[in-house]
Amino acid sequence: MARWDFFLVVDFEATCQEKGRIYPQEIIEFPAVLVDAATGSLVSAFRTYVRPRHHPQLTAFCKELTGIEQSQVDGGVGLGEALAKLDARLAAAGVARNRLAVVTWGDWDCKTMLESECRFKGIPKPEYFDRWVNLRIPFEAAFGPGRRNLQEAVKEAGLQWVGRLHCGLDDARNTAYLLVEVMRRGVAISITGSLAPALAPKEEGDEAPSQPQPQPQPQAQRVGLNLGMWAGGAGALPCCCFCGVASR
């Protein structure tokens, strides 16, 4: 039986400026493409624009790079609502979260950008975003080692680039096409990155402790596929993310 029923390909766009880092950086385009793991078909696409809270006015550089207009983010939703909208879309499609794998080109989207902003703003996120496939790794298994950006990888795979570079939805679609090509070449797709804590191995002969153990403190509730809307509050952890434009 196949490990995954669906792949969810994401490619976030975020606030940025031409010189130096913008702090805190915030997602402004939230796209996702759903891929059937059995057939390789692109099932559906999702996109919502996200209204930045700390730097609501986009820089000229950001608008030129991403093609996103100020009016689009002004009419956007909060990050929490964007996550909830995607969750509802997946629920309506009957996607089981334990049979879904998130796919990105690189680790930045899940490991750095989404995680940092959710922590900074105190926004819970669906647990399927805590594990992901960095497509660079199976791509290298198919085409050999070497550093390429997404557009170079698409060309090397013999595919035609579709749409506008640094449009999040177009980047996600091209990543999805690349994923399908890698699968077509027989490379197994497995999780390559994770934010979930590793379980300590249990040694042989370990016995349950005789004394009662202190109970862990309750953590922020994780979001399942049927969660409704939620709003983000102030977070205690700093945001230290970076757009990574040069490395994509």
Side-chain angles (χ1 to χ4, degrees):
M1 184 177 181
R3 177 69 177 86
W4 313 111
D5 292 334
F6 294 97
F7 296 110
L8 186 70
V9 184
V10 300
D11 190 291
F12 304 128
E13 299 301 325
T15 52
C16 55
Q17 57 191 12
E18 187 170 10
K19 295 181 179 179
R21 301 184 184 185
I22 200 166
Y23 176 87
Q25 195 173 26
E26 298 170 278
I27 292 171
I28 54 176
E29 183 186 358
F30 194 118
V33 175
L34 190 65
V35 178
D36 188 309
T39 66
S41 61
L42 275 59
V43 178
S44 62
F46 167 90
R47 173 168 65 184
T48 187
Y49 292 101
V50 182
R51 184 175 57 255
R53 183 191 304 172
H54 294 275
H55 297 280
Q57 295 297 314
L58 301 183
T59 64
F61 172 79
C62 185
K63 289 186 285 186
E64 175 66 24
L65 178 72
T66 65
I68 298 172
E69 299 294 335
Q70 184 65 47
S71 60
Q72 290 174 307
V73 295
D74 287 345
V77 300
L79 179 59
E81 186 175 347
L83 286 161
K85 282 186 172 184
L86 174 62
D87 229 26
R89 178 73 66 88
L90 294 173
V95 177
R97 65 179 183 176
N98 64 335
R99 303 284 298 168
L100 173 73
V102 173
V103 178
T104 62
W105 181 257
D107 293 318
W108 177 83
D109 297 271
C110 291
K111 183 178 181 179
T112 302
M113 187 64 247
L114 183 61
E115 173 70 4
S116 296
E117 186 172 354
C118 285
R119 282 177 173 252
F120 181 76
K121 294 181 176 178
I123 299 173
K125 59 182 168 67
E127 60 187 8
Y128 47 78
F129 277 115
D130 284 346
R131 297 175 178 84
W132 63 92
V133 179
N134 176 355
L135 189 59
R136 291 179 187 269
I137 295 174
F139 179 88
E140 289 190 0
F143 293 92
R147 186 162 182 80
R148 308 105 163 151
N149 61 33
L150 176 58
Q151 200 168 37
E152 291 167 341
V154 167
K155 182 178 180 180
E156 186 173 343
L159 303 176
Q160 185 72 32
W161 183 269
V162 178
R164 184 189 193 281
L165 182 63
H166 292 303
C167 164
L169 183 56
D170 288 343
D171 287 358
R173 283 194 178 114
N174 283 284
T175 304
Y177 292 135
L178 191 58
L179 166 67
V180 173
E181 178 62 22
V182 169
M183 290 193 297
R184 190 186 69 81
R185 291 172 179 260
V187 177
I189 305 299
S190 58
I191 296 297
T192 63
S194 176
L195 295 169
L199 295 176
K202 185 177 180 180
E203 296 183 4
E204 187 176 354
D206 282 354
E207 297 181 357
S210 57
Q211 297 297 323
Q213 297 299 300
Q215 296 299 311
Q217 295 298 313
Q219 298 179 348
Q221 182 181 1
R222 284 293 182 184
V223 183
L225 281 173
N226 294 316
L227 187 75
M229 304 296 185
W230 15 257
L237 296 178
C239 178
C240 53
C241 48
F242 173 55
C243 67
V245 168
S247 65
R248 286 194 178 183

